[in-house]
Amino acid sequence: MNTSCFSSLYSHPNKYLEDHLSGSAHLIEKFSDESSTNLLDNKLISRLTKVIALCHDLGKSTRYFQDYLSADDSEKKNMKSMKETHHSLISAVIAFFVIKEEINKHAAYNDVKTLLPFIAYIVVKKHHGNLNDVVTEASLDDSDIDTMKSQLQSIDEEKFSILSDNLVKAGLDVKLDKNTINYYIENIKNELRNVKRYIRRINEKSDLSYYILINYIFSLLIDSDKSEVVIGRDFSRSYVELPSDLVDKYKSQISYKENKINSLREDAYREVNSSEINFDDRILSINLPTGLGKTLTSISFALRLREKLYKTFNKNYRIIYSLPFLSIIEQNFQEFEKILKGNNINTSTNVLLKHHHLSEMKYTDDDTEFDTDSSKIMIEGWNSEIIVTTFIQLFHTLLSNKNKSLRKFHRIANSIIILDEIQSIPFYYWKLVKEILQAVAFKLNSYVIFVTATQPMIFGNDEIRQLTDKRKYFNQMDRVVIKPVLDKNIHLSELVDMFDLKDGRSYLFILNTIASAKQFYELLKQKLPDEEIVYMSTHIVPFERLERIELIKSKKVKYAVTTQLVEAGVDIDFDVVVRDIAPLDSINQSAGRCNRNWQKSGEVYVVSLIDESDKKYSSRIYDKVMINITEKILSQYDEIGEKDFLNIIDRYYTAISENLSSDAAINILNAVYKLKYDSDDGTPSISKFKLIDDGYYKVDAYIEYNDEAIELWQRYLELKNVKNLFKRRNIFNEFKADFYKYVISIPEKTENMPADVEGFKYVNSDSINEYYDKETGFITKGVLSIW
């Protein structure tokens, strides 16, 4: 547009309103056209979302908002609380009627003609906030109407006429004026009453289509809006060729020893990658024993599927590789890096992206490095071909009411989602996860691949396609024997004398609580005064935990005492693993740290540890029914060979399904059906979904562990001198990943609580010995340290 023809109305300082609206519409069209869904006709979605983007900030044309933009900071603070300054509601009303007129042109969509204008209304109304209960959103009171009339009256007709002309040029079919908008305001309450009746009929259906559709459109709008403001309209995703044989070529550069474990790894790899691809198979599984190369196998299959989808449908599918824990994100990300670099493919962030809450905010596209603001937008919007992320990021995108989480929802359309260590999903969420993954797979045209040694019964055998003959591999495994020692409960002092620790083998002890792990570590040191023993728990700063994991990998130590943090995905190997009683799937994961590479014969002992009051440590963190089921199964055996692991895990999951209810998940699923994103009265809503429930209250503590930690803390303190909040956040994002290497979570009620300093409990280097032990981590007093 020629700037001389602009309305002189602004959306942001120094940005014309029509420029922002047309720019957002340009991006939303790009984002929408990237994917094909099974929600509505894709051309219709592209058109509707473009219209929504052209309307979403029209409320900024009021004199109230224009005055707010030009006010100084002190004035802005006062003006922000005025309802007349807010722009989203009146924009939403306009979007409702404009979309209604648009939909009336499409006779084929009579069944959703009531809903689509309302979706436009919701997403525009909430595009700066979080989604609420849609029933609540379908209500307006008289004061809302009065406010909008006051806003409308304040609009400069001449400027608005120019704005409207420019929006028609940008693709809006309606020439808006104040009389038209007044009609909209006068009639919106009646329209919303009709919507409420329609929503009641939706509430009676168990259908996730409406939920997926709202999230998809909301996501497209808020992503295009934020991206346009920070980056502008001139960026786009281009096809990055990732040939299906990348892993083959990478593997050909590595020299593998000829042994049984590598032979089985290769067999599994070839079986999965020679399997026929059927586009109708949306839920898939790679179920193999631990250590059989599931990571490389799943990556290779995903690349092959991606290539075939592109050749068949000309759609560029993303690969989303999701894992349960931060501790294993890095090693899987590095695996992707090695594969790409081994094939001379650029590993810039537009190709390979790592995203979790501590991610470094640095985004690169070929030879360009984005500034911090732009990097944040690109990373949090998952603008990449391969995304390595956590279960938290993924599932809190699929099940959320939050603006920040839902922004990347549309990126899940046309994706290949690899869920590694899927058994980490709590059993009580199985039905919820099943329903949401099925909806994503079929409505958003995506694929889901479970990768695990212990596949939970989320899907029935007839609902999931196995890419391996899992029994063939489990039946050949003979690395490990599980030996239950559950005839009596034992104390830690008895455990330390239970084994001949000088027999030349390496020992890993996995305990259920930090308190028991610390106590046993001290007993073991007394027993083996001349040996180096590694201790790990979440009370050790992450920087030191990574150092200790590398020490274990180097085989320079023979003894380790840890909590459960090593169970899933951490590539360490011991001759003997001793595990305090836990749910059977956790025990199986622990067994994966024993004789992993089939060097000799490994043993896993399961014991039931009790404290001084004869209370089981397991009772403090695990469901009693799960422990009872595990004990009942294990007590039937003197020992269990690895080839039998699959059968006993199946028995365990069957018993879990029969004995444990999942009311919390059912309540959230019902909230999803009813589009109840949030609730004011505490009743179940989507906002209540929480993938990980820690079970006790914690606070973050910063430990000045070394010189780097001291320097990072000083940089953090200097942030208070930066008055602008957004600039302050951006500077922190530049070193946040390094900063959090020295942050741990400690019990909220510990008696020796460090002082509060700038949002953290702070332990400085001078007083570190009062709060932190360099061997065992934070020194808790007067509380039970569960983790």
Side-chain angles (χ1 to χ4, degrees):
M1 295 179 193
N2 187 331
T3 55
S4 62
C5 300
F6 275 40
S7 63
S8 298
L9 296 169
Y10 292 87
S11 63
H12 304 82
N14 304 315
K15 183 178 280 281
Y16 288 114
L17 180 52
E18 48 263 77
D19 199 19
H20 172 58
L21 293 174
S22 61
S24 298
H26 175 72
L27 285 184
I28 208 168
E29 219 173 5
K30 275 188 178 181
F31 295 163
S32 175
D33 291 345
E34 272 183 17
S35 56
S36 61
T37 69
N38 295 314
L39 295 166
L40 298 170
D41 177 78
N42 289 291
K43 287 184 179 178
L44 177 64
I45 287 184
S46 182
R47 173 61 189 164
L48 294 182
T49 52
K50 180 178 181 178
V51 171
I52 289 169
L54 287 169
C55 295
H56 82 277
D57 270 352
L58 280 170
K60 289 185 174 182
S61 58
T62 68
R63 175 177 50 78
Y64 298 103
F65 187 85
Q66 294 298 308
D67 288 349
Y68 168 79
L69 272 184
S70 59
D72 59 36
D73 288 345
S74 61
E75 288 178 300
K76 276 184 177 175
K77 202 169 184 179
N78 295 326
M79 295 174 75
K80 202 168 187 177
S81 61
M82 293 172 54
K83 288 179 74 174
E84 288 82 1
T85 307
H86 301 168
H87 67 279
S88 294
L89 178 57
I90 189 170
S91 302
V93 171
I94 296 169
F96 180 100
F97 283 95
V98 174
I99 290 295
K100 184 179 179 184
E101 291 181 35
E102 193 76 35
I103 289 299
N104 284 335
K105 303 172 191 173
H106 300 272
Y109 293 96
N110 284 324
D111 57 329
V112 288
K113 277 187 176 180
T114 304
L115 188 64
L116 287 172
F118 182 57
I119 291 176
Y121 173 86
I122 292 169
V123 301
V124 172
K125 185 181 177 187
K126 307 304 290 188
H127 75 275
H128 287 298
N130 301 328
L131 294 176
N132 200 355
D133 184 352
V134 295
V135 175
T136 303
E137 296 300 337
S139 298
L140 286 175
D141 56 38
D142 290 339
S143 67
D144 295 319
I145 303 299
D146 291 341
T147 298
M148 287 191 285
K149 286 185 174 180
S150 178
Q151 289 175 310
L152 180 63
Q153 192 173 2
S154 76
I155 292 174
D156 184 302
E157 286 196 53
E158 186 178 344
K159 291 179 180 179
F160 192 80
S161 179
I162 297 170
L163 171 67
S164 184
D165 286 338
N166 284 332
L167 294 183
V168 170
K169 291 174 188 174
L172 199 66
D173 285 350
V174 181
K175 173 69 165 76
L176 293 167
D177 56 39
K178 290 176 71 170
N179 286 333
T180 303
I181 296 171
N182 186 63
Y183 170 84
Y184 295 166
I185 295 170
E186 292 280 3
N187 286 276
I188 187 62
K189 286 181 77 172
N190 287 333
E191 293 285 349
L192 292 181
R193 273 193 282 271
N194 293 332
V195 167
K196 266 192 175 179
R197 286 193 288 271
Y198 188 86
I199 291 171
R200 288 192 190 101
R201 292 201 297 273
I202 289 175
N203 289 350
E204 295 168 4
K205 301 178 182 179
S206 296
D207 188 351
L208 291 181
S209 302
Y210 307 100
Y211 172 77
I212 299 290
L213 182 60
I214 291 173
N215 288 6
Y216 183 68
I217 293 176
F218 185 61
S219 171
L220 285 168
L221 176 61
I222 57 181
D223 192 23
S224 61
D225 181 27
K226 289 177 169 66
S227 298
E228 196 285 328
V229 172
V230 177
I231 298 169
R233 67 173 71 199
D234 297 322
F235 83 93
S236 60
R237 177 190 182 196
S238 55
Y239 180 70
V240 177
E241 188 175 0
L242 298 172
S244 60
D245 61 354
L246 286 184
V247 181
D248 286 339
K249 290 180 178 177
Y250 167 70
K251 285 176 64 186
S252 70
Q253 301 163 19
I254 302 170
S255 176
Y256 293 99
K257 292 180 181 178
E258 289 189 18
N259 56 34
K260 189 161 185 180
I261 189 72
N262 282 333
S263 175
L264 284 174
R265 283 171 184 156
E266 187 62 21
D267 286 350
Y269 179 84
R270 295 203 177 281
E271 181 183 2
V272 170
N273 285 289
S274 62
S275 60
E276 182 184 353
I277 289 174
N278 183 342
F279 294 137
D280 293 331
D281 294 330
R282 297 304 180 96
I283 312 293
L284 307 131
S285 170
I286 300 173
N287 187 184
L288 289 167
T290 55
L292 251 64
K294 292 187 290 293
T295 302
L296 285 181
T297 300
S298 62
I299 293 170
S300 181
F301 179 81
L303 288 168
R304 194 161 67 90
L305 176 57
R306 179 182 188 268
E307 185 176 86
K308 187 167 183 179
L309 285 163
Y310 182 75
K311 287 178 178 177
T312 306
F313 301 109
N314 197 32
K315 283 296 175 186
N316 193 358
Y317 276 61
R318 283 182 172 82
I319 294 173
I320 301 171
Y321 197 107
S322 188
L323 304 118
F325 310 116
L326 277 179
S327 57
I328 53 177
I329 282 275
E330 195 61 41
Q331 68 183 36
N332 283 271
F333 179 79
Q334 287 171 359
E335 203 71 49
F336 272 105
E337 273 191 322
K338 288 175 189 174
I339 293 166
L340 295 175
K341 287 178 179 177
N343 286 273
N344 298 312
I345 293 175
N346 193 337
T347 57
S348 54
T349 328
N350 68 314
V351 177
L352 176 62
L353 169 69
K354 176 172 55 182
H355 182 229
H356 51 77
H357 73 290
L358 301 180
S359 295
E360 183 181 19
M361 287 299 162
K362 188 177 287 185
Y363 187 93
T364 56
D365 183 348
D366 297 327
D367 297 323
T368 305
E369 184 170 321
F370 287 58
D371 62 33
T372 306
D373 271 348
S374 300
S375 290
K376 185 177 172 65
I377 286 290
M378 298 298 281
I379 290 169
E380 292 183 350
W382 283 4
N383 289 280
S384 189
E385 299 309 306
I386 302 169
I387 298 105
V388 183
T389 190
T390 59
F391 280 7
I392 291 284
Q393 287 292 338
L394 176 64
F395 284 101
H396 282 263
T397 298
L398 296 175
L399 289 157
S400 181
N401 72 315
K402 290 188 167 41
N403 187 297
K404 183 179 178 180
S405 298
L406 289 170
R407 189 183 137 226
K408 56 187 179 291
F409 185 91
H410 71 98
R411 298 274 187 248
I412 294 169
N414 294 155
S415 65
I416 300 163
I417 304 166
I418 302 173
L419 295 173
D420 200 344
E421 308 287 3
I422 186 63
Q423 77 285 344
S424 300
I425 298 289
F427 74 89
Y428 45 83
Y429 280 140
W430 285 0
K431 181 171 174 56
L432 177 63
V433 164
K434 173 183 176 177
E435 295 294 323
I436 199 71
L437 289 179
Q438 277 184 323
V440 164
F442 291 99
K443 295 297 180 184
L444 294 183
N445 223 354
S446 293
Y447 294 82
V448 178
I449 306 171
F450 284 5
V451 178
T452 181
T454 52
Q455 183 171 298
M457 292 179 177
I458 295 173
F459 288 93
N461 290 331
D462 59 337
E463 297 172 311
I464 188 166
R465 182 187 167 195
Q466 300 290 342
L467 294 173
T468 57
D469 178 0
K470 57 186 178 181
R471 295 200 175 275
K472 177 176 78 174
Y473 298 98
F474 278 93
N475 287 342
Q476 295 184 68
M477 303 310 293
D478 190 26
R479 294 171 297 178
V480 176
V481 173
I482 293 178
K483 297 186 174 183
V485 187
L486 300 171
D487 52 327
K488 65 173 184 174
N489 300 322
I490 62 173
H491 293 95
L492 295 170
S493 57
E494 295 172 277
L495 178 63
V496 80
D497 292 324
M498 189 172 164
F499 301 94
D500 176 9
L501 298 173
K502 291 290 191 176
D503 61 5
R505 297 188 294 177
S506 58
Y507 284 79
L508 169 64
F509 295 88
I510 303 176
L511 285 82
N512 282 329
T513 70
I514 290 176
S516 61
K518 277 185 181 180
Q519 190 178 339
F520 185 74
Y521 172 69
E522 296 298 336
L523 290 169
L524 201 59
K525 279 203 304 178
Q526 293 169 26
K527 181 89 172 176
L528 302 168
D530 300 324
E531 297 286 351
E532 183 172 5
I533 304 167
V534 169
Y535 171 86
M536 283 195 298
S537 80
T538 53
H539 278 185
I540 302 284
V541 293
F543 169 85
E544 179 60 25
R545 289 208 301 265
L546 290 173
E547 296 278 312
R548 294 181 187 184
I549 287 172
E550 289 305 313
L551 184 62
I552 291 172
K553 287 181 177 181
S554 72
K555 299 287 186 179
K556 291 178 181 176
V557 292
K558 290 173 61 177
Y559 308 96
V561 179
T562 82
T563 54
Q564 306 93 315
L565 60 87
V566 298
E567 269 183 2
V570 180
D571 190 8
I572 58 176
D573 195 0
F574 286 82
D575 300 326
V576 179
V577 171
V578 183
R579 180 65 166 94
D580 191 4
I581 186 74
L584 193 56
D585 52 345
S586 293
I587 293 170
N588 197 16
Q589 288 299 313
S590 297
R593 310 314 119 202
C594 182
N595 192 23
R596 189 174 178 84
N597 294 310
W598 213 334
Q599 300 299 315
K600 49 190 97 167
S601 179
E603 295 178 337
V604 177
Y605 291 86
V606 182
V607 297
S608 180
L609 293 172
I610 51 176
D611 62 15
E612 294 80 1
S613 64
D614 293 343
K615 183 176 182 180
K616 288 184 179 182
Y617 289 106
S618 60
S619 67
R620 292 175 177 156
I621 59 172
Y622 294 124
D623 183 277
K624 185 179 179 182
V625 176
M626 296 171 78
I627 295 296
N628 288 343
I629 291 171
T630 300
E631 287 184 327
K632 183 178 179 181
I633 292 173
L634 291 183
S635 296
Q636 297 171 24
Y637 301 88
D638 293 326
E639 59 179 49
I640 304 165
E642 189 174 4
K643 67 179 185 299
D644 296 318
F645 285 6
L646 189 63
N647 289 331
I648 66 163
I649 282 292
D650 285 348
R651 285 177 56 196
Y652 169 75
Y653 281 138
T654 300
I656 289 289
S657 301
E658 292 171 354
N659 287 277
L660 289 169
S661 62
S662 53
D663 291 344
I666 298 300
N667 287 338
I668 293 172
L669 184 57
N670 287 332
V672 173
Y673 292 144
K674 294 176 181 177
L675 306 175
K676 193 169 188 176
Y677 287 88
D678 204 358
S679 64
D680 298 326
D681 57 4
T683 53
S685 65
I686 296 162
S687 65
K688 298 291 189 293
F689 173 72
K690 189 177 182 184
L691 187 64
I692 296 175
D693 187 358
D694 292 328
Y696 79 117
Y697 294 105
K698 300 182 293 187
V699 292
D700 284 342
Y702 187 89
I703 314 296
E704 280 194 343
Y705 183 79
N706 56 21
D707 289 342
E708 183 188 40
I710 294 170
E711 180 191 341
L712 288 165
W713 182 255
Q714 289 308 308
R715 287 178 68 183
Y716 177 72
L717 291 182
E718 288 166 9
L719 290 175
K720 13 180 223 194
N721 299 323
V722 180
K723 300 303 179 189
N724 184 285
L725 175 64
F726 295 104
K727 188 175 180 183
R728 190 159 68 240
R729 284 178 183 164
N730 286 340
I731 294 171
F732 182 52
N733 281 333
E734 292 172 5
F735 64 93
K736 181 173 75 171
D738 287 332
F739 181 87
Y740 272 91
K741 289 190 299 187
Y742 302 100
V743 175
I744 58 174
S745 293
I746 63 174
E748 187 183 45
K749 297 188 182 297
T750 184
E751 290 176 2
N752 60 326
M753 183 63 72
D756 276 308
V757 180
E758 299 298 327
F760 287 90
K761 303 298 180 182
Y762 168 59
V763 177
N764 66 41
S765 56
D766 293 333
S767 61
I768 191 168
N769 292 334
E770 297 175 34
Y771 296 97
Y772 191 87
D773 184 296
K774 290 275 180 141
E775 290 184 43
T776 58
F778 190 79
I779 304 164
T780 54
K781 293 181 181 178
V783 294
L784 169 67
S785 296
I786 295 178
W787 294 95

